[in-house]
Amino acid sequence: MISAWHPVLHTLWLSLPMLISHNIWGTYVYGFVFYTLSQMLVTSAIYSAILLTIKRWGIPRWVFVFSTLFICVFPGFGMWASFPIKDTIFAALFALCIALLFDCFVLHEKPCKKEKMALLWCFVLLMALFRNNAIYGIAIFLVIITLFYKRYRKRIAAIFGSVVLACMVITGPLYNIVGILPASIGEILNVPDAQLALTRNSDIDLSQKDKDFIDFYVPHWRDYYSWNADPVKQGVPVESIKSNYMNYASQYLSIGIEHPILYTEAFLRLSVGYWSPMTDYRLSAFSHMAPYRESQINPPKVDRSSYGHIVINRNSKLPESVTGIVKDIASLKPELSIPILSQIFQVGTWVWLIIFYSTVCIYFKKYSWLIPVILFFCYWTTVMLGPLSWYRYANVAVSCGPIFLGALFVMGKLSISQSGNYQIMGDV
């Protein structure tokens, strides 16, 4: 039985080759190899398309060289491309959509070719189907553009609005027809669960009504851990919340109004890795924010077969002396001791670069240049509501960083030339 808790498209991409491999050769390994290589090839193709796109904008050569080297050698790209997770391909698709938004709505006064608009539609749909929370970011983006961008609302609504409708049809009636189980709403309650748990654990006077509310809706509040909401969200009565969500929401907000500092603290502790450029991921609390992890290079030998997992044993052909050196480097994380390099490895640095880009757009009144960044932050809002700060959730900021860096220099050329429409070198 397939559940929409994990994106169905990624489930099929990962599982079908492995099932075919098992049925033919009696092992899942060949199917897993096919999936891994295909994901690496697709990811490489997408980032190649992104680099060619920003090069066509006429960015400075050093920016293009830096972006190319960064994508080639930064472990957050190459290493994660070999792991069987949905976030790798999603981050690449999201970045490509950002680049196409620049092409379609920012760098041309006239509407771009219908073929490119259709291409943008296809990639936005794929992006939405590779992460369940992406559709919420797209919907928020659509509302903002409709309200504040009269000039672009029809074209953007045609693309993003139809994607929202398509996703509703696919994840609703179509999933029901083929018997795919719906996703749980429990995944969107990470922040409320943590806020209520911290409030219950704090040395403050709560009314008996508030205590009973928290005890019922967050039964594991005693397991509160400030950096991770997973322990406290276990056992949350999701069905009760769905059947009585207005009462849940009103009581949750009522407690928050009385204790705003605790709510704010719980939220900031969960999301610190998404906005702070000084996250020391050598500490266990922030270890998930590293763009690589020791266990990914040399996985621990844990028998997960008893959990019903399919076990793919690591069988490296490299000598142990070589893998040991790499493991030691990964454990020490020496890049955090090098000033400039350490900032490149921080997700927060790239987020602040995008904030700086937004500030420049507003200062120079280049409001149309904000369209791609609005999509980014609409999605980023949903990321901030996750259960903990984790690089694989946040890698969209790193993936989009070179695009916004290039756009800054293109905007600078446009402002200096005062020529109105920026001329792109060729078009596709």
Side-chain angles (χ1 to χ4, degrees):
M1 183 66 71
I2 297 178
S3 169
W5 177 79
H6 187 87
V8 174
L9 197 59
H10 186 259
T11 298
L12 295 175
W13 186 10
L14 175 60
S15 63
L16 286 180
M18 295 177 66
L19 292 174
I20 293 172
S21 171
H22 186 264
N23 289 334
I24 296 177
W25 295 288
T27 177
Y28 295 106
V29 171
Y30 300 131
F32 187 71
V33 169
F34 172 83
Y35 165 82
T36 303
L37 292 177
S38 63
Q39 178 174 269
M40 293 174 70
L41 288 172
V42 170
T43 305
S44 299
I46 293 174
Y47 283 116
S48 296
I50 291 172
L51 288 171
L52 289 174
T53 298
I54 64 175
K55 181 181 181 181
R56 199 177 62 250
W57 296 349
I59 62 175
R61 181 179 294 275
W62 74 266
V63 175
F64 177 73
V65 171
F66 168 79
S67 300
T68 302
L69 291 176
F70 178 62
I71 290 175
C72 288
V73 303
F74 186 68
F77 293 99
M79 183 175 289
W80 285 87
S82 65
F83 299 142
I85 55 174
K86 60 185 180 294
D87 310 272
T88 297
I89 196 69
F90 171 79
L93 288 169
F94 187 90
L96 182 58
C97 290
I98 293 292
L100 288 174
L101 271 176
F102 274 108
D103 262 6
C104 291
F105 298 103
V106 177
L107 298 174
H108 294 85
E109 290 292 332
K110 298 179 180 179
C112 65
K113 295 179 180 179
K114 293 182 179 180
E115 292 83 358
K116 184 175 289 187
M117 300 282 277
L119 195 63
L120 175 60
W121 185 91
C122 291
F123 286 123
V124 172
L125 178 62
L126 282 174
M127 175 188 73
L129 294 176
F130 264 94
R131 274 205 73 90
N132 293 334
N133 59 321
I135 191 65
Y136 302 110
I138 292 173
I140 299 171
F141 169 74
L142 185 59
V143 171
I144 294 175
I145 295 299
T146 301
L147 291 176
F148 299 105
Y149 283 85
K150 182 177 180 180
R151 178 179 177 184
Y152 303 97
R153 66 176 59 160
K154 289 184 178 180
R155 284 182 284 161
I156 290 181
I159 296 174
F160 288 84
S162 59
V163 166
V164 172
L165 291 175
C167 287
M168 292 174 64
V169 172
I170 293 172
T171 59
L174 184 58
Y175 279 10
N176 289 334
I177 291 173
V178 298
I180 296 175
L181 299 177
S184 171
I185 66 168
E187 290 300 309
I188 66 175
L189 298 175
N190 298 295
V191 172
D193 291 342
Q195 291 170 328
L196 292 172
L198 175 60
T199 303
R200 188 71 171 88
N201 278 284
S202 299
D203 187 20
I204 58 174
D205 291 329
L206 286 173
S207 67
Q208 190 60 45
K209 179 182 178 181
D210 290 342
K211 291 181 180 179
D212 292 341
F213 174 82
I214 297 175
D215 291 348
F216 178 75
Y217 285 108
V218 192
H220 291 276
W221 57 267
R222 293 179 180 85
D223 299 329
Y224 173 73
Y225 179 59
S226 60
W227 312 109
N228 190 345
D230 284 335
V232 298
K233 74 179 184 181
Q234 304 302 318
V236 171
V238 174
E239 293 303 321
S240 296
I241 295 175
K242 290 171 65 177
S243 61
N244 199 17
Y245 63 89
M246 289 300 295
N247 177 67
Y248 172 85
S250 62
Q251 187 68 15
Y252 161 74
L253 292 174
S254 175
I255 296 174
I257 291 173
E258 293 183 16
H259 308 286
I261 295 178
L262 291 175
Y263 269 37
T264 303
E265 179 184 348
F267 170 72
L268 292 178
R269 285 182 178 275
L270 283 182
S271 62
V272 63
Y274 297 141
W275 49 265
S276 172
M278 294 182 292
T279 303
D280 189 348
Y281 49 76
R282 288 172 295 194
L283 303 176
S284 59
F286 304 114
S287 61
H288 287 85
M289 285 308 297
Y292 62 89
R293 302 185 71 188
E294 176 188 336
S295 60
Q296 294 166 340
I297 297 171
N298 196 1
K301 296 180 180 180
V302 179
D303 182 12
R304 294 184 177 272
S305 58
S306 60
Y307 294 90
H309 294 179
I310 295 175
V311 179
I312 305 295
N313 293 317
R314 181 175 182 269
N315 187 23
S316 175
K317 301 303 181 183
L318 294 174
E320 189 64 30
S321 58
V322 175
T323 58
I325 293 174
V326 177
K327 178 183 176 182
D328 291 341
I329 294 175
S331 300
L332 294 173
K333 297 178 175 54
E335 72 279 355
L336 291 179
S337 302
I338 305 174
I340 297 178
L341 188 61
S342 64
Q343 291 305 305
I344 294 177
F345 275 70
Q346 296 282 346
V347 169
T349 299
W350 296 98
V351 173
W352 282 101
L353 169 67
I354 299 173
I355 293 174
F356 175 73
Y357 166 87
S358 306
T359 305
V360 172
C361 291
I362 295 172
Y363 180 81
F364 288 106
K365 299 181 179 180
K366 302 291 185 181
Y367 301 119
S368 64
W369 291 69
L370 286 171
I371 292 176
V373 87
I374 290 173
L375 176 60
F376 173 83
F377 280 113
C378 286
Y379 173 72
W380 198 248
T381 301
T382 70
V383 174
M384 298 273 283
L385 300 178
L388 75 165
S389 297
W390 200 342
Y391 178 83
R392 72 185 187 96
Y393 298 153
N395 59 356
V396 291
V398 182
S399 300
C400 293
I403 300 173
F404 287 107
L405 180 63
L408 271 174
F409 287 92
V410 174
M411 190 193 310
K413 283 187 177 182
L414 177 59
S415 300
I416 293 173
S417 66
Q418 298 294 318
S419 59
N421 185 34
Y422 191 78
Q423 298 299 313
I424 305 300
M425 297 187 299
D427 199 2
V428 293

